[in-house]
Structures are given as C-alpha cells and as structure tokens.
Short mmCIF file of all heavy atoms in Angstrom, two decimals:
data_model
loop_
_atom_site.label_atom_id
_atom_site.label_comp_id
_atom_site.label_asym_id
_atom_site.label_seq_id
_atom_site.Cartn_x
_atom_site.Cartn_y
_atom_site.Cartn_z
N MET A 18 124.12 105.03 107.45
CA MET A 18 123.17 104.73 106.40
C MET A 18 122.22 105.91 106.25
O MET A 18 121.72 106.44 107.22
CB MET A 18 122.40 103.47 106.76
CG MET A 18 121.34 103.11 105.75
SD MET A 18 120.56 101.53 106.09
CE MET A 18 121.94 100.47 105.78
N SER A 19 121.97 106.30 105.04
CA SER A 19 121.08 107.43 104.81
C SER A 19 119.65 106.95 104.62
O SER A 19 119.39 105.78 104.37
CB SER A 19 121.53 108.20 103.57
OG SER A 19 121.26 107.45 102.41
N LEU A 20 118.71 107.87 104.76
CA LEU A 20 117.31 107.55 104.57
C LEU A 20 117.06 107.04 103.17
O LEU A 20 116.32 106.09 102.98
CB LEU A 20 116.45 108.77 104.88
CG LEU A 20 114.94 108.58 104.79
CD1 LEU A 20 114.49 107.48 105.75
CD2 LEU A 20 114.23 109.88 105.11
N SER A 21 117.71 107.62 102.16
CA SER A 21 117.49 107.17 100.79
C SER A 21 117.96 105.73 100.60
O SER A 21 117.35 104.97 99.87
CB SER A 21 118.18 108.09 99.79
OG SER A 21 119.57 108.10 100.01
N ASN A 22 119.04 105.32 101.27
CA ASN A 22 119.48 103.92 101.20
C ASN A 22 118.46 103.01 101.86
O ASN A 22 118.25 101.89 101.40
CB ASN A 22 120.84 103.74 101.86
CG ASN A 22 121.96 104.31 101.04
OD1 ASN A 22 121.81 104.55 99.85
ND2 ASN A 22 123.08 104.54 101.68
N SER A 23 117.84 103.44 102.93
CA SER A 23 116.84 102.62 103.61
C SER A 23 115.62 102.41 102.74
O SER A 23 115.04 101.34 102.71
CB SER A 23 116.41 103.28 104.92
OG SER A 23 117.48 103.29 105.81
N LEU A 24 115.23 103.44 102.01
CA LEU A 24 114.08 103.31 101.14
C LEU A 24 114.35 102.32 100.02
O LEU A 24 113.47 101.59 99.61
CB LEU A 24 113.69 104.67 100.57
CG LEU A 24 113.31 105.72 101.59
CD1 LEU A 24 112.97 107.03 100.90
CD2 LEU A 24 112.16 105.27 102.45
N SER A 25 115.57 102.28 99.55
CA SER A 25 115.88 101.37 98.46
C SER A 25 116.07 99.94 98.97
O SER A 25 116.12 99.02 98.17
CB SER A 25 117.13 101.83 97.70
OG SER A 25 118.25 101.82 98.55
N SER A 26 116.15 99.74 100.30
CA SER A 26 116.32 98.40 100.83
C SER A 26 114.99 97.82 101.32
O SER A 26 114.97 96.95 102.17
CB SER A 26 117.35 98.40 101.95
OG SER A 26 116.86 99.10 103.07
N SER A 27 113.90 98.26 100.77
CA SER A 27 112.60 97.73 101.16
C SER A 27 112.41 96.33 100.56
O SER A 27 113.06 95.96 99.58
CB SER A 27 111.48 98.65 100.69
OG SER A 27 111.47 98.73 99.30
N SER A 28 111.51 95.58 101.18
CA SER A 28 111.19 94.24 100.69
C SER A 28 109.71 94.19 100.33
O SER A 28 108.86 94.49 101.16
CB SER A 28 111.46 93.19 101.77
OG SER A 28 112.81 93.20 102.13
N LEU A 29 109.42 93.81 99.12
CA LEU A 29 108.05 93.64 98.65
C LEU A 29 107.81 92.15 98.53
O LEU A 29 108.47 91.46 97.75
CB LEU A 29 107.86 94.34 97.31
CG LEU A 29 106.45 94.44 96.77
CD1 LEU A 29 105.58 95.27 97.69
CD2 LEU A 29 106.46 95.07 95.39
N ILE A 30 106.88 91.62 99.31
CA ILE A 30 106.69 90.19 99.44
C ILE A 30 105.28 89.81 99.03
O ILE A 30 104.31 90.29 99.61
CB ILE A 30 106.93 89.76 100.90
CG1 ILE A 30 108.31 90.23 101.36
CG2 ILE A 30 106.76 88.26 101.08
CD1 ILE A 30 108.45 90.35 102.85
N PRO A 31 105.14 88.93 98.02
CA PRO A 31 103.80 88.45 97.67
C PRO A 31 103.22 87.64 98.83
O PRO A 31 103.91 86.80 99.43
CB PRO A 31 104.03 87.55 96.46
CG PRO A 31 105.39 87.88 95.96
CD PRO A 31 106.17 88.37 97.14
N ILE A 32 101.98 87.92 99.18
CA ILE A 32 101.28 87.17 100.22
C ILE A 32 99.94 86.71 99.66
O ILE A 32 99.58 87.06 98.54
CB ILE A 32 101.09 88.01 101.50
CG1 ILE A 32 100.31 89.30 101.21
CG2 ILE A 32 102.43 88.32 102.15
CD1 ILE A 32 99.95 90.11 102.45
N GLU A 33 99.21 85.94 100.43
CA GLU A 33 97.95 85.34 99.96
C GLU A 33 96.96 86.38 99.42
O GLU A 33 96.32 86.17 98.40
CB GLU A 33 97.30 84.56 101.09
CG GLU A 33 96.05 83.83 100.68
CD GLU A 33 95.49 82.98 101.80
OE1 GLU A 33 96.27 82.49 102.63
OE2 GLU A 33 94.25 82.84 101.84
N ASN A 34 96.86 87.52 100.10
CA ASN A 34 95.86 88.52 99.70
C ASN A 34 96.47 89.78 99.12
O ASN A 34 95.92 90.86 99.27
CB ASN A 34 95.00 88.88 100.92
CG ASN A 34 94.19 87.71 101.41
OD1 ASN A 34 93.73 86.91 100.62
ND2 ASN A 34 94.05 87.60 102.70
N GLY A 35 97.62 89.69 98.48
CA GLY A 35 98.25 90.87 97.89
C GLY A 35 99.74 90.89 98.10
O GLY A 35 100.44 89.92 97.82
N TYR A 36 100.23 92.00 98.66
CA TYR A 36 101.66 92.19 98.89
C TYR A 36 101.90 92.82 100.25
O TYR A 36 101.14 93.68 100.68
CB TYR A 36 102.27 93.12 97.83
CG TYR A 36 102.32 92.52 96.46
CD1 TYR A 36 101.25 92.65 95.59
CD2 TYR A 36 103.44 91.83 96.03
CE1 TYR A 36 101.29 92.10 94.32
CE2 TYR A 36 103.49 91.27 94.77
CZ TYR A 36 102.42 91.41 93.92
OH TYR A 36 102.47 90.85 92.67
N ALA A 37 102.96 92.38 100.89
CA ALA A 37 103.43 93.01 102.12
C ALA A 37 104.70 93.77 101.77
O ALA A 37 105.45 93.36 100.87
CB ALA A 37 103.73 91.97 103.19
N ILE A 38 104.93 94.87 102.43
CA ILE A 38 106.16 95.63 102.21
C ILE A 38 106.77 95.93 103.57
O ILE A 38 106.08 96.25 104.52
CB ILE A 38 105.93 96.91 101.39
CG1 ILE A 38 107.26 97.52 100.98
CG2 ILE A 38 105.04 97.87 102.10
CD1 ILE A 38 107.19 98.47 99.83
N ARG A 39 108.10 95.76 103.62
CA ARG A 39 108.83 95.99 104.86
C ARG A 39 110.04 96.88 104.58
O ARG A 39 110.65 96.79 103.52
CB ARG A 39 109.29 94.67 105.45
CG ARG A 39 108.12 93.83 105.91
CD ARG A 39 108.53 92.55 106.56
NE ARG A 39 107.46 91.77 107.13
CZ ARG A 39 106.32 91.41 106.54
NH1 ARG A 39 106.05 91.82 105.34
NH2 ARG A 39 105.44 90.66 107.14
N PHE A 40 110.35 97.70 105.54
CA PHE A 40 111.53 98.55 105.50
C PHE A 40 112.39 98.13 106.69
O PHE A 40 112.23 98.66 107.79
CB PHE A 40 111.14 100.03 105.59
CG PHE A 40 110.32 100.48 104.43
CD1 PHE A 40 108.94 100.45 104.48
CD2 PHE A 40 110.93 100.93 103.27
CE1 PHE A 40 108.17 100.86 103.40
CE2 PHE A 40 110.17 101.36 102.19
CZ PHE A 40 108.79 101.32 102.26
N PRO A 41 113.29 97.17 106.50
CA PRO A 41 114.03 96.61 107.62
C PRO A 41 114.81 97.63 108.45
O PRO A 41 114.99 97.43 109.65
CB PRO A 41 115.00 95.62 106.97
CG PRO A 41 114.46 95.38 105.60
CD PRO A 41 113.65 96.57 105.23
N ASP A 42 115.25 98.71 107.84
CA ASP A 42 116.05 99.70 108.56
C ASP A 42 115.22 100.79 109.23
O ASP A 42 115.77 101.65 109.90
CB ASP A 42 117.05 100.36 107.60
CG ASP A 42 118.05 99.36 107.05
OD1 ASP A 42 118.41 98.43 107.78
OD2 ASP A 42 118.45 99.50 105.89
N LEU A 43 113.91 100.74 109.05
CA LEU A 43 113.02 101.74 109.65
C LEU A 43 112.10 101.03 110.64
O LEU A 43 111.12 100.41 110.24
CB LEU A 43 112.21 102.47 108.58
CG LEU A 43 113.01 103.09 107.44
CD1 LEU A 43 112.07 103.74 106.43
CD2 LEU A 43 114.01 104.09 107.96
N PRO A 44 112.39 101.07 111.92
CA PRO A 44 111.66 100.30 112.92
C PRO A 44 110.15 100.49 112.85
O PRO A 44 109.65 101.62 112.83
CB PRO A 44 112.20 100.84 114.25
CG PRO A 44 113.53 101.42 113.91
CD PRO A 44 113.41 101.94 112.50
N GLY A 45 109.43 99.38 112.78
CA GLY A 45 107.98 99.41 112.80
C GLY A 45 107.32 99.88 111.53
O GLY A 45 106.10 100.06 111.50
N THR A 46 108.08 100.08 110.47
CA THR A 46 107.50 100.58 109.22
C THR A 46 107.26 99.42 108.27
O THR A 46 108.14 98.99 107.54
CB THR A 46 108.43 101.63 108.58
OG1 THR A 46 108.75 102.60 109.56
CG2 THR A 46 107.74 102.32 107.41
N ASN A 47 106.05 98.91 108.33
CA ASN A 47 105.60 97.81 107.49
C ASN A 47 104.21 98.14 106.98
O ASN A 47 103.48 98.91 107.62
CB ASN A 47 105.54 96.50 108.28
CG ASN A 47 106.84 96.16 108.94
OD1 ASN A 47 107.86 96.03 108.28
ND2 ASN A 47 106.83 96.03 110.25
N SER A 48 103.82 97.54 105.88
CA SER A 48 102.49 97.78 105.35
C SER A 48 102.13 96.65 104.42
O SER A 48 102.92 95.74 104.18
CB SER A 48 102.43 99.13 104.63
OG SER A 48 101.08 99.49 104.41
N GLN A 49 100.93 96.72 103.87
CA GLN A 49 100.50 95.74 102.87
C GLN A 49 99.38 96.33 102.05
O GLN A 49 98.77 97.32 102.42
CB GLN A 49 100.06 94.43 103.52
CG GLN A 49 98.81 94.53 104.36
CD GLN A 49 98.47 93.21 105.01
OE1 GLN A 49 99.34 92.54 105.55
NE2 GLN A 49 97.22 92.83 104.95
N GLY A 50 99.14 95.70 100.90
CA GLY A 50 98.07 96.16 100.02
C GLY A 50 97.46 95.00 99.26
O GLY A 50 98.08 93.93 99.14
N ASN A 51 96.26 95.20 98.75
CA ASN A 51 95.54 94.15 98.03
C ASN A 51 96.18 93.80 96.70
O ASN A 51 96.02 92.69 96.21
CB ASN A 51 94.09 94.57 97.79
CG ASN A 51 93.35 94.76 99.09
OD1 ASN A 51 93.63 94.10 100.08
ND2 ASN A 51 92.40 95.67 99.09
N ASP A 52 96.86 94.76 96.09
CA ASP A 52 97.58 94.53 94.84
C ASP A 52 98.85 95.37 94.88
O ASP A 52 99.10 96.09 95.85
CB ASP A 52 96.71 94.85 93.62
CG ASP A 52 96.15 96.26 93.62
OD1 ASP A 52 96.80 97.18 94.16
OD2 ASP A 52 95.05 96.46 93.07
N LEU A 53 99.66 95.30 93.84
CA LEU A 53 100.94 95.99 93.84
C LEU A 53 100.77 97.51 93.98
O LEU A 53 101.45 98.14 94.79
CB LEU A 53 101.72 95.65 92.57
CG LEU A 53 103.12 96.21 92.47
CD1 LEU A 53 103.97 95.78 93.66
CD2 LEU A 53 103.77 95.78 91.17
N ALA A 54 99.85 98.08 93.23
CA ALA A 54 99.64 99.53 93.30
C ALA A 54 99.20 99.96 94.69
O ALA A 54 99.69 100.95 95.24
CB ALA A 54 98.62 99.97 92.25
N ASN A 55 98.29 99.20 95.29
CA ASN A 55 97.82 99.52 96.63
C ASN A 55 98.93 99.34 97.66
O ASN A 55 99.05 100.13 98.60
CB ASN A 55 96.60 98.67 96.97
CG ASN A 55 95.99 99.03 98.31
OD1 ASN A 55 96.01 98.22 99.23
ND2 ASN A 55 95.43 100.23 98.42
N ALA A 56 99.76 98.33 97.50
CA ALA A 56 100.88 98.10 98.43
C ALA A 56 101.85 99.27 98.38
O ALA A 56 102.33 99.73 99.42
CB ALA A 56 101.58 96.80 98.10
N ILE A 57 102.14 99.78 97.19
CA ILE A 57 103.04 100.92 97.05
C ILE A 57 102.41 102.17 97.68
O ILE A 57 103.07 102.91 98.41
CB ILE A 57 103.41 101.16 95.58
CG1 ILE A 57 104.27 99.99 95.09
CG2 ILE A 57 104.11 102.50 95.38
CD1 ILE A 57 104.48 99.96 93.59
N TYR A 58 101.13 102.37 97.46
CA TYR A 58 100.43 103.50 98.07
C TYR A 58 100.48 103.41 99.59
O TYR A 58 100.78 104.39 100.28
CB TYR A 58 98.97 103.52 97.58
CG TYR A 58 98.14 104.60 98.23
CD1 TYR A 58 98.14 105.89 97.71
CD2 TYR A 58 97.37 104.34 99.35
CE1 TYR A 58 97.39 106.89 98.30
CE2 TYR A 58 96.62 105.33 99.96
CZ TYR A 58 96.63 106.61 99.42
OH TYR A 58 95.89 107.60 100.01
N MET A 59 100.22 102.23 100.12
CA MET A 59 100.22 102.04 101.56
C MET A 59 101.63 102.19 102.15
O MET A 59 101.80 102.69 103.26
CB MET A 59 99.63 100.67 101.92
CG MET A 59 98.16 100.52 101.51
SD MET A 59 97.07 101.76 102.26
CE MET A 59 97.03 101.15 103.93
N ALA A 60 102.64 101.76 101.38
CA ALA A 60 104.03 101.91 101.83
C ALA A 60 104.39 103.39 101.94
O ALA A 60 105.04 103.81 102.91
CB ALA A 60 104.97 101.20 100.88
N ARG A 61 103.97 104.18 100.97
CA ARG A 61 104.23 105.62 101.03
C ARG A 61 103.56 106.23 102.25
O ARG A 61 104.13 107.09 102.93
CB ARG A 61 103.74 106.30 99.76
CG ARG A 61 104.57 105.94 98.53
CD ARG A 61 104.02 106.53 97.27
NE ARG A 61 104.04 107.98 97.34
CZ ARG A 61 103.39 108.78 96.50
NH1 ARG A 61 102.67 108.26 95.52
NH2 ARG A 61 103.46 110.07 96.63
N ASP A 62 102.35 105.77 102.56
CA ASP A 62 101.64 106.26 103.73
C ASP A 62 102.37 105.88 105.02
O ASP A 62 102.52 106.69 105.93
CB ASP A 62 100.21 105.71 103.74
CG ASP A 62 99.35 106.33 104.81
OD1 ASP A 62 99.26 107.58 104.85
OD2 ASP A 62 98.76 105.58 105.60
N ALA A 63 102.86 104.64 105.09
CA ALA A 63 103.60 104.18 106.27
C ALA A 63 104.87 105.01 106.46
O ALA A 63 105.22 105.39 107.58
CB ALA A 63 103.93 102.70 106.14
N LEU A 64 105.56 105.31 105.37
CA LEU A 64 106.77 106.13 105.45
C LEU A 64 106.44 107.55 105.93
O LEU A 64 107.16 108.12 106.74
CB LEU A 64 107.47 106.19 104.10
CG LEU A 64 108.15 104.91 103.67
CD1 LEU A 64 108.65 105.04 102.24
CD2 LEU A 64 109.28 104.54 104.60
N ALA A 65 105.34 108.10 105.43
CA ALA A 65 104.93 109.44 105.85
C ALA A 65 104.62 109.47 107.34
O ALA A 65 105.01 110.42 108.05
CB ALA A 65 103.73 109.90 105.04
N ILE A 66 103.96 108.44 107.84
CA ILE A 66 103.65 108.38 109.27
C ILE A 66 104.93 108.28 110.09
O ILE A 66 105.08 108.93 111.12
CB ILE A 66 102.70 107.20 109.56
CG1 ILE A 66 101.32 107.50 108.96
CG2 ILE A 66 102.60 106.92 111.06
CD1 ILE A 66 100.38 106.32 108.94
N TRP A 67 105.88 107.46 109.62
CA TRP A 67 107.16 107.31 110.33
C TRP A 67 107.90 108.64 110.38
O TRP A 67 108.40 109.04 111.42
CB TRP A 67 107.99 106.23 109.64
CG TRP A 67 109.21 105.82 110.39
CD1 TRP A 67 109.27 104.96 111.45
CD2 TRP A 67 110.55 106.25 110.14
NE1 TRP A 67 110.57 104.83 111.87
CE2 TRP A 67 111.38 105.61 111.09
CE3 TRP A 67 111.13 107.11 109.21
CZ2 TRP A 67 112.75 105.81 111.12
CZ3 TRP A 67 112.51 107.29 109.26
CH2 TRP A 67 113.30 106.65 110.20
N LEU A 68 107.93 109.35 109.26
CA LEU A 68 108.61 110.65 109.22
C LEU A 68 107.88 111.68 110.09
O LEU A 68 108.52 112.49 110.76
CB LEU A 68 108.74 111.13 107.78
CG LEU A 68 109.71 110.31 106.93
CD1 LEU A 68 109.60 110.73 105.47
CD2 LEU A 68 111.13 110.43 107.43
N ASP A 69 106.55 111.66 110.08
CA ASP A 69 105.79 112.56 110.95
C ASP A 69 106.12 112.31 112.41
O ASP A 69 106.24 113.26 113.20
CB ASP A 69 104.28 112.38 110.74
CG ASP A 69 103.76 113.13 109.54
OD1 ASP A 69 104.46 114.02 109.02
OD2 ASP A 69 102.62 112.82 109.12
N TYR A 70 106.26 111.05 112.79
CA TYR A 70 106.64 110.71 114.16
C TYR A 70 107.99 111.35 114.50
O TYR A 70 108.14 111.94 115.57
CB TYR A 70 106.69 109.19 114.34
CG TYR A 70 107.41 108.79 115.60
CD1 TYR A 70 106.78 108.88 116.83
CD2 TYR A 70 108.73 108.33 115.56
CE1 TYR A 70 107.46 108.53 118.00
CE2 TYR A 70 109.40 107.98 116.71
CZ TYR A 70 108.77 108.08 117.93
OH TYR A 70 109.44 107.74 119.07
N LEU A 71 108.97 111.20 113.59
CA LEU A 71 110.29 111.78 113.85
C LEU A 71 110.21 113.29 114.00
O LEU A 71 110.87 113.87 114.87
CB LEU A 71 111.26 111.41 112.73
CG LEU A 71 111.65 109.94 112.63
CD1 LEU A 71 112.63 109.75 111.47
CD2 LEU A 71 112.25 109.43 113.91
N ILE A 72 109.42 113.93 113.16
CA ILE A 72 109.27 115.38 113.24
C ILE A 72 108.62 115.76 114.57
O ILE A 72 109.09 116.68 115.26
CB ILE A 72 108.44 115.92 112.04
CG1 ILE A 72 109.27 115.77 110.76
CG2 ILE A 72 108.02 117.36 112.27
CD1 ILE A 72 108.46 115.99 109.49
N ASP A 73 107.56 115.05 114.95
CA ASP A 73 106.88 115.35 116.21
C ASP A 73 107.81 115.17 117.41
O ASP A 73 107.72 115.91 118.39
CB ASP A 73 105.66 114.44 116.40
CG ASP A 73 104.52 114.81 115.48
OD1 ASP A 73 104.55 115.91 114.87
OD2 ASP A 73 103.58 114.00 115.35
N GLU A 74 108.69 114.18 117.33
CA GLU A 74 109.61 113.90 118.43
C GLU A 74 110.92 114.68 118.31
O GLU A 74 111.81 114.52 119.15
CB GLU A 74 109.90 112.40 118.51
CG GLU A 74 108.68 111.54 118.79
CD GLU A 74 108.03 111.86 120.13
OE1 GLU A 74 108.79 112.01 121.12
OE2 GLU A 74 106.80 111.95 120.18
N ASN A 75 111.04 115.48 117.25
CA ASN A 75 112.25 116.28 117.00
C ASN A 75 113.50 115.39 116.97
O ASN A 75 114.51 115.70 117.61
CB ASN A 75 112.39 117.39 118.04
CG ASN A 75 113.33 118.48 117.57
OD1 ASN A 75 113.47 118.72 116.38
ND2 ASN A 75 113.98 119.13 118.51
N GLU A 76 113.40 114.28 116.23
CA GLU A 76 114.50 113.32 116.15
C GLU A 76 115.03 113.24 114.72
O GLU A 76 114.33 113.53 113.77
CB GLU A 76 114.03 111.94 116.59
CG GLU A 76 113.62 111.90 118.04
CD GLU A 76 113.33 110.50 118.52
OE1 GLU A 76 113.87 109.54 117.95
OE2 GLU A 76 112.53 110.38 119.45
N GLU A 77 116.26 112.80 114.60
CA GLU A 77 116.91 112.58 113.30
C GLU A 77 116.61 111.17 112.83
O GLU A 77 116.64 110.23 113.61
CB GLU A 77 118.42 112.76 113.42
CG GLU A 77 118.84 114.17 113.80
CD GLU A 77 118.69 115.14 112.65
OE1 GLU A 77 118.84 114.74 111.50
OE2 GLU A 77 118.40 116.31 112.94
N ALA A 78 116.36 111.00 111.55
CA ALA A 78 116.09 109.68 110.99
C ALA A 78 117.26 108.73 111.18
O ALA A 78 117.07 107.56 111.51
CB ALA A 78 115.73 109.79 109.51
N GLU A 79 118.47 109.21 111.01
CA GLU A 79 119.65 108.36 111.10
C GLU A 79 119.80 107.76 112.49
O GLU A 79 120.40 106.71 112.65
CB GLU A 79 120.91 109.11 110.69
CG GLU A 79 121.08 109.27 109.20
CD GLU A 79 120.15 110.33 108.58
OE1 GLU A 79 119.59 111.16 109.32
OE2 GLU A 79 120.01 110.31 107.37
N ALA A 80 119.26 108.41 113.52
CA ALA A 80 119.37 107.89 114.88
C ALA A 80 118.59 106.60 115.06
O ALA A 80 118.83 105.84 115.99
CB ALA A 80 118.88 108.94 115.89
N HIS A 81 117.65 106.32 114.16
CA HIS A 81 116.79 105.13 114.27
C HIS A 81 117.22 104.00 113.35
O HIS A 81 116.56 102.99 113.27
CB HIS A 81 115.34 105.50 113.98
CG HIS A 81 114.75 106.35 115.04
ND1 HIS A 81 114.16 105.84 116.16
CD2 HIS A 81 114.73 107.70 115.19
CE1 HIS A 81 113.75 106.83 116.94
NE2 HIS A 81 114.09 107.97 116.36
N MET A 82 118.30 104.18 112.66
CA MET A 82 118.72 103.17 111.69
C MET A 82 119.92 102.41 112.18
O MET A 82 120.68 102.82 112.96
CB MET A 82 119.05 103.83 110.37
CG MET A 82 117.83 104.42 109.75
SD MET A 82 118.31 105.14 108.18
CE MET A 82 117.12 106.39 108.05
#
C-alpha cells in the first residue's frame, strides 16, 4: 500500500464538537477540529508530524502500513 492510498482512506467522522479524522493505515495518526475546515487543517498537521517522525527515525512509510 502506498502513502497516497493511505491518505485517501482517511475517515472523517462528525462528533459532538466538530469532526474527528482518522487514518487507519497510519498508526497513531488521528486528529479533530471544531469544524470541517479546522479538522482538515489539523489532519494535515497530524500527517506532517507522522512524516517528521519517520524522517527523524530514518524509516520508510510503507514499513508502518
């Protein structure tokens, strides 16, 4: 599975105070926002943090999927 496929398999879930977003194929990469725009912004931030972790650890993304 490629990283681009994982990004397209995200789940955007309406919750009481906005939206939650999950990336089932990316361990620990979840976020939420007060509204749809904020949830998308926060999801991008969560993905950036996940990728930074992989870079810091010198690991391939595919190894975690």
Side-chain angles (χ1 to χ4, degrees):
M18 177 174 293
S19 71
L20 183 58
S21 61
N22 287 342
S23 293
L24 299 179
S25 63
S26 68
S27 63
S28 299
L29 189 63
I30 305 158
I32 58 174
E33 184 176 328
N34 296 324
Y36 291 88
I38 190 160
R39 293 183 175 50
F40 297 92
D42 297 326
L43 307 178
T46 309
N47 304 302
S48 194
Q49 66 183 45
N51 297 329
D52 56 31
L53 185 57
N55 185 246
I57 293 169
Y58 176 85
M59 297 301 287
R61 290 176 63 194
D62 189 54
L64 289 172
I66 291 169
W67 190 80
L68 292 171
D69 279 345
Y70 165 78
L71 292 180
I72 291 168
D73 288 346
E74 298 298 317
N75 199 28
E76 296 187 26
E77 296 286 328
E79 283 75 16
H81 291 273
M82 294 182 208

